[in-house]
Amino acid sequence: NAGVTQTPKFQVLKTGQSMTLQCAQDMNHNSMYWYRQDPGMGLRLIYYSASEGTTDKGEVPNGYNVSRLNKREFSLRLESAAPSQTSVYFCASSEFRTAYEQYFGPGTRLTVT
Amino acid sequence: AQSVTQLGSHVSVSEGALVLLRCNYSSSVPPYLFWYVQYPNQGLQLLLKYTSAATLVKGINDFEAEFKKSETSFHLTKPSAHMSDAAEYFCAVSPRGLTFGKGITLSVRP
């Protein structure tokens, strides 16, 4: 039981390049989330998927897109990376969106130069 | 709407001393409250949660937190700090998804 896994662990991009961050969970959870963590800002929600087949914007969605590929997998895409997207990205999952605790992956450290 | 305030960004205690990390919340509906811990270069791990049962909640590693509705608080305590407790701690409120506070870094002095 791996929990929530994320790939890659580290990535360096040049401004304007694109990439996709992958996330998978094996806990049969319905809801999945993407956060970014920046110093002094806590965790900010980028997008979430309350259930398979649905996605919704969070607090900071600009510059990102997501795909809920199936119940297990939720990917985050940066179409044209900008230095402001340098951050640590966390994927999380929970049984349902309402009231349940979330389980986090180990994070992806992204640097955009 | 829901929000969390964690006052101060850094707390330093001596090994063996009491740990107290403060959290105040705002919620228009009865809240669910969580404390998470993040060790360096790792993801967040759940320490404990309040989901409207007992107001005093015990978590892992001897941490506990008390829900006080009148004070809209959910402060985290541990009787005796250990060096391994050095980490960043986040308070979060639900039920409308999780809203996190900005986090508090705990340092433990030998």
Side-chain angles (χ1 to χ4, degrees), chain B residues 54-83:
Chain B
T55 57
L56 183 62
V57 180
K58 294 188 184 300
I60 61 173
N61 299 335
D62 295 327
F63 282 96
E64 62 181 37
E66 185 172 10
F67 172 69
K68 292 188 176 180
K69 184 178 178 181
S70 61
E71 298 177 8
T72 61
S73 69
F74 190 57
H75 301 331
L76 182 70
T77 60
K78 180 172 179 176
S80 176
H82 191 272
M83 297 295 290

Side-chain angles (χ1 to χ4, degrees), chain B residues 6-13 20-21 87-88 103-109:
Chain B
Q6 294 184 252
L7 287 178
S9 61
H10 186 245
V11 169
S12 180
V13 301
L20 171 61
L21 304 180
E88 191 161 16
I104 298 175
T105 300
L106 175 66
S107 301
V108 182
R109 303 184 300 271

Side-chain angles (χ1 to χ4, degrees), chain A residues 36-97:
Chain A
R36 60 178 290 173
Q37 183 179 29
D38 302 290
M41 303 289 286
L43 276 81
R44 293 181 292 170
L45 183 65
I46 304 171
Y47 271 94
Y48 66 94
S49 171
S51 60
E52 188 179 356
T54 71
T55 60
D56 284 287
K57 294 178 181 179
E59 181 185 355
V60 289
N62 291 345
Y64 305 95
N65 285 298
V66 291
S67 296
R68 183 76 181 266
L69 304 169
N70 48 55
K71 192 171 185 179
R72 290 187 63 246
E73 298 173 288
F74 188 39
S75 63
L76 178 72
R77 183 160 178 83
L78 287 70
E79 291 291 352
S80 179
S84 61
Q85 294 178 304
T86 293
S87 188
V88 182
Y89 291 86
F90 289 99
C91 178
S93 70
S94 64
E95 191 166 348
F96 294 102
R97 181 164 183 259

Side-chain angles (χ1 to χ4, degrees), chain A residues 33 35 37-38 40-45 88 90 97-107 109, chain B residues 32 34 36 38 41-46 49 51 88 90 94-103:
Chain A
Y33 314 82
Y35 293 90
Q37 183 179 29
D38 302 290
M41 303 289 286
L43 276 81
R44 293 181 292 170
L45 183 65
V88 182
F90 289 99
R97 181 164 183 259
T98 303
Y100 286 82
E101 65 266 32
Q102 295 178 13
Y103 295 84
F104 284 78
R109 189 171 295 273
Chain B
Y32 295 80
F34 306 84
Y36 282 85
Q38 184 181 30
N41 299 313
Q42 293 188 26
L44 277 71
Q45 177 184 350
L46 183 69
K49 62 181 179 181
T51 56
E88 191 161 16
F90 294 92
S94 199
R96 298 198 174 94
L98 277 186
T99 300
F100 287 87
K102 295 196 187 309

